């Protein structure tokens, strides 16, 4: 009887061998994926070589597509979700700025208009830059420090509300930087602080953005948190909907984005009718916006609704429908480079579901050209590429290996 790598007290090498066998991979294929010789891998599996360092363990875990690092190591205290990408070089500096809370400061904050202009420029840079995490990672530490200073030095209730709004928007930008990186506790600190600052601001649009981000954080934590995601979405919509008849475009757009999030979560549950009903309601809200309008945080717009339809179809595991929606969505241009790359990844998932692996890989190459840092940190993209590397067709393997090397999945 084959041992169970998840239950039996096995050596690391035995776990590698069993999990590799379950993936249908040869020693040569796995060795090539992780950058060692077949001889070295054979010694690891046979226990003739000591357990490799953490970097190599992570490479093996990712190549074997285990759900959790403890599945490979056998140590339950080593829980690491492998759908989270590698840490960005600027993560430590951003984390230090978030965690820093000087209790007193003689430093005068910059003018509110100055911080507001920098924040606006940071959001624009985030949408335009192919390596958007690098760009906003440079800007975030000073922005966080200055926004916190503004709150501490606010003299009037009006000034304090305005400062809290800027702080909440800064935390929102930080959440985009931190997402899919190996520090979920930091993500939650930023998410919760952003919501608190938004509530203190009393600004409907700021509250809506914070709720949108919090709902995503809940949903991305797994199925057990879907109800919490829905609860945040629904409360935010109940708060915003009475304001919509006379609201600004930004408030209408964040309400539309929240409505779509309900559909996204329903699709994750495979609730087909509910998912498409929320998409329809969200699409109706988008139709009230000008054709050239684009929400500065969520990218909500008329143009984004085609991409959202692809996402719903993919999450419902409707391969053919995903492909059909992808063809329709390409009629519109998504302005944001990272959001455009994310859409390409969703399209690639659809093509993979529809058993078109070559088209899926070609679509991921488009995503890489649009925004390399988006695909580098996206677990779905990494999974599709790793699957393509195991293709029986040599051209597909070479193409996948080249893309894997470019995004850092394989050593150059």
């Amino acid at each position: 009887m084959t041992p169970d790598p998840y239950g039996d007290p096995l050596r690391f090498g035995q776990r590698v061998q069993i999990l590799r066998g379950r993936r249908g991979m040869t020693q040569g294929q796995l060795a090539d994926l992780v950058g060692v010789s077949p001889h070295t891998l054979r010694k690891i599996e046979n226990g003739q070589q000591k357990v490799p360092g953490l970097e190599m363990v992570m490479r093996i875990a990712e190549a074997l597509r285990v759900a959790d690092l403890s599945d490979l190591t056998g140590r339950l205290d080593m829980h690491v979700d492998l759908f989270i990408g590698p840490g960005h070089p600027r993560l430590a500096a951003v984390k230090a700025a978030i965690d820093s809370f000087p209790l007193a400061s003689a430093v005068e904050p910059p003018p509110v208009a100055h911080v507001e202009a920098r924040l606006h420029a940071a959001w624009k840079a985030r949408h335009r830059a192919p390596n958007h995490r690098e760009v906003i990672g440079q800007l975030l530490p000073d922005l966080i420090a200055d926004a916190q200073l503004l709150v501490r030095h606010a003299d009037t209730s009006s000034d304090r509300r305005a400062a809290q709004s800027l702080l909440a928007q800064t935390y929102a930008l930080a959440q985009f930087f931190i997402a899919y990186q190996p520090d979920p506790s930091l993500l939650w600190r930023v998410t919760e602080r952003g919501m608190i600052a938004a509530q203190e601001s009393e600004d409907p649009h700021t509250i809506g953005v914070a709720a949108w981000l919090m709902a995503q954080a809940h949903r991305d934590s797994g199925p057990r948190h879907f109800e919490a995601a829905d609860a945040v979405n629904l409360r935010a919509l109940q708060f915003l909907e009475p304001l919509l008849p006379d609201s600004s475009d930004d408030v209408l757009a964040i309400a539309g984005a929240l409505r779509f999030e309900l559909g996204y979560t329903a699709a994750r549950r495979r609730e087909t009718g509910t998912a498409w009903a929320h998409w329809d309601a969200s699409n109706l809200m988008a139709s009230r916006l000008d054709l050239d309008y684009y929400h500065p945080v969520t990218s909500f717009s008329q143009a984004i609704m085609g991409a959202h339809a692809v996402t719903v179809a993919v999450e419902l595991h409707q391969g053919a429908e995903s492909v059909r929606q992808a063809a329709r969505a390409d009629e519109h241009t998504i302005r944001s480079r990272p959001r455009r790359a994310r859409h390409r990844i969703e399209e690639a998932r659809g093509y993979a579901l529809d058993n078109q692996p070559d088209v899926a890989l070609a679509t991921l190459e488009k995503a890489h050209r649009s925004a390399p840092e988006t695909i580098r940190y996206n677990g779905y993209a990494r999974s599709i590429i790793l699957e393509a590397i195991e293709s029986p067709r040599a051209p597909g393997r070479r193409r996948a290996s080249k893309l894997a090397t470019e995004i850092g999945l394989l050593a150059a």
Side-chain angles (χ1 to χ4, degrees), residues 118-131:
R118 285 161 54 202
L119 186 58
H120 179 69
W123 277 111
K124 288 181 67 174
R126 189 251 167 195
H127 288 300
R128 291 175 178 173
N131 293 314

Side-chain angles (χ1 to χ4, degrees), residues 268-280:
R268 284 272 182 96
R269 291 191 180 102
R270 309 288 193 270
E271 296 172 352
T272 303
T274 302
W276 286 114
H278 284 305
W279 183 90
D280 285 338

Side-chain angles (χ1 to χ4, degrees), residues 6 12 15-26 30 33-34 41 45 57-67 72 82 386 390:
Y6 303 106
F12 174 81
R15 289 175 179 275
V16 172
Q17 184 177 6
I18 293 164
L19 291 167
R20 175 177 60 76
R22 290 187 176 183
R23 292 293 307 147
M25 296 172 66
T26 66
L30 179 58
L33 281 174
V34 300
L41 182 63
E45 290 189 353
V57 170
M58 292 296 287
R59 284 191 195 177
I60 293 171
E62 192 161 42
L64 293 174
R65 297 209 298 283
V66 297
L72 180 62
L82 293 179
L386 287 170
E390 299 172 23

Side-chain angles (χ1 to χ4, degrees), residues 302-315:
Q302 290 193 40
I304 207 70
M305 292 311 301
H308 282 340
V310 173
T311 295
V312 169
V314 166
E315 293 296 345

Side-chain angles (χ1 to χ4, degrees), residues 220-238:
D220 290 346
S221 297
R224 288 179 298 174
H225 301 269
F226 286 177
E227 287 189 12
D230 281 348
V232 171
N233 268 320
L234 288 168
R235 281 196 296 270
L237 281 168
Q238 288 168 0

Side-chain angles (χ1 to χ4, degrees), residues 18 74 85 88 100 106 113 123 139 154 187 213 217 221 229 236 292 295 301 309 345:
I18 293 164
H88 192 279
S100 176
W123 277 111
L139 302 174
L187 178 69
L213 288 165
S221 297
D292 61 349
H295 189 265
S301 57
I345 293 167

Side-chain angles (χ1 to χ4, degrees), residues 8-74:
D8 299 335
L10 303 173
R11 297 193 315 268
F12 174 81
Q14 289 176 301
R15 289 175 179 275
V16 172
Q17 184 177 6
I18 293 164
L19 291 167
R20 175 177 60 76
R22 290 187 176 183
R23 292 293 307 147
M25 296 172 66
T26 66
Q27 281 185 334
Q29 288 172 329
L30 179 58
D32 186 53
L33 281 174
V34 300
V36 300
S37 69
H39 176 69
T40 298
L41 182 63
R42 191 176 305 114
K43 290 176 69 175
I44 291 173
E45 290 189 353
N46 292 340
Q48 296 172 329
Q49 184 165 310
K50 66 179 182 179
V51 176
L54 181 59
E55 181 180 354
M56 180 55 64
V57 170
M58 292 296 287
R59 284 191 195 177
I60 293 171
E62 192 161 42
L64 293 174
R65 297 209 298 283
V66 297
D68 190 286
L69 191 58
S70 63
D71 296 343
L72 180 62
T73 64

